[in-house]
């Protein structure tokens, strides 16, 4: 019942959000990152094109989260460059650039306050007040019942927190999305909803990278797939059934 | 002026008080005897040394000696405030910032009071400048220490939350605002509490001292009030500066949160 309601609602929201824009392009060139002598990224080239959902897999501890953090400008590579729509992100004010790149962590932290407060955070940081109706629409679009708006965000389940984090980022209408195992804490139905949302966002022009081991999600997201292995990205889908 | 002096033999008698505490510790197996014994001797050595120093400074009252002593207080205060701060950039870096915070706060609060409120006959009057500066600077030191301790610990604890805010486009200032505010609040709390309860439970040390040495209570009260207001102001200024420094030290020039290894792991 929730997903159908969400769908009905999402069309309303999309009045504003669905305006297509120039497809975004987030590029990483020759990224290198080491931690304590261990090479995690060894010259990684990645081109995240708008209108595309790229997926990333690879064994635990190979540096997928590290790569997302670098792409999300939370950590600097030792070497290499990042470009958003052709502009070198090193020459851009970091906090302005980060607004354009959503980073949804694997276990997102909720800020103190209600779900509504959380969804309003991004615009508020820029001095704008998100109308409650818009916040409600975003929450629904992220797959949560609108009644949750007044609930204390800290009290939510892991899966709900993840969807609040998605709604929180939606409020900024970012050009690029980086998601770290977004379906891991969700049941199949909610996972499908997130996957559908990602496809919608891509259709609107966003460049999306999803780290995932979820075979079902991988099946539904037909964009390019990479495996991170020994510091390099290898293109190609894993054999079915391999969810390591 | 009815000044009652304490002779050395009389002072020795007061050691009986420490003997009492040591006896209690030993009877209840608190294991504090050693610390108490060391503390007894240390306090005596430190205070007599300070007494000798003050006697010297009073006898050679000169801007250089008076401000030399004050400068030492600033540096020692800065060093003490910078020590043992977990999850910070280390004592060496913090020391510079702490000293600057103590210095600026001290100057901002002390100079106007000496210039307009207390107005000593000579502007380098040791008997006023040194004890009052000592009280004010040590409160600045406490404020800085509290802010450093709190800010770095709470940012470290909430690193994921701070980065989440950065991700949503927060400036470094916005990303740690909550932590900085809490730390400054904590830094001011003790002084504000002292302000609220002064005279109700205990008389403040300086006022007690003045009354014991013969000053009229109403004058002692006025001095004490000036000092208390100074203590509040200095804690606020020092805390605000320390918060600014701590915030700046927590991010790199790319507005990324810096992490500091736990000193126990280092
Ligand atoms: N700040 C850091 N300092 C030191 N080592 C780090 C740091 N961040 C990550 N690492 C190390 O880098 C390696 C890769 O971590 P990362 O989280 O990127 O892996 P991952 O591919 O996302 O793994 P998983 O699938 O388990 O989430 C790990 O061994 C981790 O300990
Ligand atoms: Mg990871």
């Amino acid at each position: 019942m929730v997903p159908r309601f969400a769908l009905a609602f999402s069309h309303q929201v999309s009045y504003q959000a669905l305006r297509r824009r120039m497809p975004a392009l987030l590029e990483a060139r020759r990224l290198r990152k080491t931690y304590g002598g261990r090479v995690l990224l060894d010259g990684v080239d990645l081109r995240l094109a708008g209108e595309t959902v790229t997926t990333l897999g690879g064994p635990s501890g190979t540096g997928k989260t590290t790569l997302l953090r670098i792409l999300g400008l939370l950590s600097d590579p030792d070497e290499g460059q990042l470009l958003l729509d052709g502009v070198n992100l090193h020459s851009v004010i970091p906090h302005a650039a980060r607004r354009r790149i959503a980073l949804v962590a694997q276990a997102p932290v909720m800020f103190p306050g209600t779900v509504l407060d959380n969804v309003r955070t991004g615009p508020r940081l820029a001095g704008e007040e998100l109308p409650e109706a818009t916040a409600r629409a975003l929450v629904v679009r992220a797959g949560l019942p609108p009644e949750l708006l007044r609930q204390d965000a800290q009290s939510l389940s892991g899966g709900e927190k993840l969807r609040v984090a998605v709604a929180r980022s939606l409020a900024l209408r970012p050009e690029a999305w980086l998601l770290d195992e977004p379906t891991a804490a969700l049941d199949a139905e909610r996972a499908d909803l997130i996957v559908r949302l990602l496809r919608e966002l891509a259709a609107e022009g966003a460049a999306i990278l999803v780290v995932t081991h979820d075979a079902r999600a991988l099946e539904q997201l037909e964009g390019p797939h990479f495996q991170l292995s020994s510091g390099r990205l290898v293109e190609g889908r894993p054999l079915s059934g391999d969810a390591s | 002026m009815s000044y009652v002096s304490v002779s050395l033999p009389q002072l020795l008698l007061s050691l009986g008080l420490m003997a009492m505490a040591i006896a209690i510790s030993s009877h209840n197996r608190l294991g504090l005897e050693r610390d108490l014994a060391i503390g007894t001797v240390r306090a005596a050595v430190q205070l007599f040394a300070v007494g000798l120093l003050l006697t010297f400074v009073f006898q050679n009252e000169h801007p250089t000696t008076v401000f030399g002593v004050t400068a030492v207080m600033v540096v020692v205060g800065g060093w003490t405030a910078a020590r043992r701060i977990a999850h910070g950039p280390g004592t060496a870096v913090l020391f510079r910032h702490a000293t600057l915070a103590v210095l600026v706060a001290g100057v901002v609060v002390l100079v106007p009071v000496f210039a307009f409120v207390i107005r000593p006959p000579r502007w380098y009057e040791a008997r006023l400048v040194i004890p009052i500066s000592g009280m004010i600077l040590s409160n600045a030191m406490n404020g800085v220490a509290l802010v450093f301790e709190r800010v770095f610990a709470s940012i470290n604890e909430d690193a994921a939350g701070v980065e989440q805010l950065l991700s949503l486009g927060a400036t470094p200032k916005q990303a740690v605002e909550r932590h900085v505010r809490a730390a400054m609040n904590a830094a001011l709390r003790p002084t504000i509490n002292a302000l609220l309860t002064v005279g109700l439970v205990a008389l403040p040390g300086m006022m007690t001292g003045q009354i014991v040495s013969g000053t009229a209570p109403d004058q002692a009260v006025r001095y004490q009030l000036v000092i208390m207001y100074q203590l509040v102001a200095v804690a606020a200024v020092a805390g605000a500066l320390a918060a600014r420094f701590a915030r700046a030290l927590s991010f790199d020039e790319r507005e990324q949160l810096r992490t500091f290894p736990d000193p126990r792991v280092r």
Side-chain angles (χ1 to χ4, degrees):
Chain A
M1 172 220 153
V2 171
R4 195 161 43 189
F5 180 59
L7 263 182
F9 230 93
S10 74
H11 288 296
Q12 273 182 35
V13 192
S14 303
Y15 170 70
Q16 211 201 5
L18 257 182
R19 263 184 313 170
R20 286 177 74 96
R21 47 181 163 194
M22 287 286 295
L25 180 61
L26 181 60
E27 285 174 282
R29 291 193 187 152
R30 313 226 39 85
L31 294 183
R32 192 180 157 79
K33 183 80 178 178
T34 58
Y35 277 126
R38 204 177 134 215
V39 182
L40 287 180
L41 306 179
D42 188 10
V44 164
D45 288 303
L46 182 61
R47 205 182 132 88
L48 300 174
E51 305 183 332
T52 311
V53 180
T54 307
T55 50
L56 175 64
S60 180
T62 45
K64 301 180 297 295
T65 299
T66 303
L67 176 59
L68 284 201
R69 285 174 52 81
I70 290 173
L71 295 171
L73 309 180
L74 287 180
S75 159
D76 271 342
D78 302 338
E79 287 166 34
Q81 286 183 341
L82 292 178
L83 295 95
L84 182 58
D85 298 333
V87 176
N88 190 336
L89 286 176
H90 211 86
S91 59
V92 176
I93 299 168
H95 67 263
R98 288 190 193 114
R99 284 175 65 83
R100 302 167 59 196
I101 306 172
L103 179 59
V104 179
Q106 190 169 2
V109 177
M110 294 292 105
F111 307 130
T114 61
V115 169
L116 177 61
D117 294 329
N118 269 268
V119 176
R120 280 178 162 166
T121 302
R124 196 169 275 169
L125 289 167
E128 293 152 26
E129 185 75 356
L130 193 72
E132 182 169 339
T134 313
R136 176 177 297 117
L138 296 177
V139 159
V140 171
R141 196 170 185 212
L144 290 168
E147 304 85 69
L148 232 60
L149 223 50
R150 297 280 165 199
Q151 197 156 319
D152 177 10
Q154 318 270 3
S155 70
L156 301 179
S157 75
E160 287 168 334
K161 285 179 180 169
L162 184 114
R163 284 170 282 164
V164 171
V166 170
R168 212 157 57 178
S169 288
L170 279 172
L172 289 173
R173 309 192 60 237
E175 291 151 69
W177 285 80
L178 309 164
L179 302 102
D180 205 346
E181 310 207 22
T183 57
L186 303 181
D187 57 63
E189 203 178 340
R190 303 298 131 82
D192 287 354
L193 199 135
I194 290 291
V195 167
R196 195 156 58 230
L197 173 61
L198 294 179
R199 293 170 55 134
E200 269 175 46
L201 292 169
E204 290 163 25
I208 303 177
L209 177 63
V210 186
V211 170
T212 186
H213 297 295
D214 181 348
R216 193 178 152 95
L218 280 173
E219 220 163 89
Q220 294 166 325
L221 296 166
E222 61 274 293
H225 178 85
F226 294 93
Q227 292 276 320
L228 185 57
S229 147
S230 321
R232 303 258 177 183
L233 288 183
V234 183
E235 184 154 16
R237 297 193 160 250
L239 302 171
S240 63
D242 173 19
S244 65
Chain B
M1 182 109 159
S2 50
Y3 180 83
V4 184
S5 63
V6 177
S7 70
L8 276 182
Q10 285 167 313
L11 177 61
L12 282 177
L13 278 181
S14 69
L15 283 178
L17 298 167
M18 295 310 294
M20 210 186 290
I22 290 175
I24 289 173
S25 166
S26 139
H27 184 76
N28 294 290
R29 302 193 198 165
L30 305 182
L32 295 174
E33 298 92 297
R34 202 182 126 83
D35 285 352
L36 282 166
I38 291 175
T40 308
V41 178
R42 237 184 101 152
V45 171
Q46 284 173 201
L47 286 179
F48 272 114
V50 168
L52 282 176
L53 179 74
L54 288 179
T55 310
F56 172 81
V57 175
F58 286 10
Q59 280 164 3
N60 304 274
E61 198 175 61
H62 186 273
T64 329
T65 45
V66 173
F67 288 99
V69 171
T70 326
V72 170
M73 290 179 191
V74 169
V75 173
V76 172
W79 190 72
T80 311
R83 272 169 56 205
R84 285 200 276 274
I85 303 293
H87 309 294
T91 308
V93 175
L94 287 179
F95 168 65
R96 280 181 274 138
H97 293 85
T99 307
L100 187 61
V102 171
L103 175 70
V104 172
V107 168
V108 164
V109 168
L110 287 166
V111 170
V113 168
F114 281 128
F116 304 114
V117 183
I118 296 183
R119 292 195 289 187
R122 283 179 314 266
W123 58 271
Y124 51 89
E125 183 101 8
R127 124 193 115 79
L128 289 167
V129 172
I130 291 179
I132 293 180
S133 301
M135 279 188 285
I136 302 307
L137 293 173
S138 81
N139 214 46
M141 169 189 91
N142 287 334
V144 172
L146 270 170
V147 165
F148 277 177
E149 215 173 279
R150 291 272 181 139
V151 171
F152 290 118
S154 73
I155 289 179
N156 177 71
E157 198 189 342
D158 185 39
V162 171
E163 291 195 323
Q164 197 88 236
L165 279 169
L166 290 176
S167 259
L168 293 172
T171 60
K173 185 177 170 181
Q174 290 174 322
V176 295
E177 199 197 345
R178 189 161 65 90
H179 303 284
V180 165
R181 202 185 308 134
M184 285 181 58
N185 205 293
L188 272 170
R189 235 337 104 204
T191 318
I192 294 175
N193 286 343
L195 205 57
L196 295 176
T197 58
V198 68
L200 296 182
V201 184
L203 292 180
M206 189 188 78
M207 195 168 121
T208 312
Q210 281 192 301
I211 292 173
V212 166
S213 64
T215 306
D218 76 308
Q219 273 302 318
V221 163
R222 288 182 200 183
Y223 260 92
Q224 188 60 46
L225 264 181
V226 174
I227 298 293
M228 301 224 47
Y229 296 158
Q230 278 189 296
L231 291 176
V232 174
V234 88
V237 176
L241 283 172
R244 249 166 196 275
F245 293 149
R247 192 175 67 209
L249 290 168
S250 295
F251 294 90
D252 64 16
E253 70 293 345
R254 303 268 307 135
E255 300 185 347
Q256 288 168 2
L257 185 65
R258 296 172 67 198
T259 48
F260 302 104
D262 190 319
R264 281 165 302 185
V265 180
R266 222 183 295 187

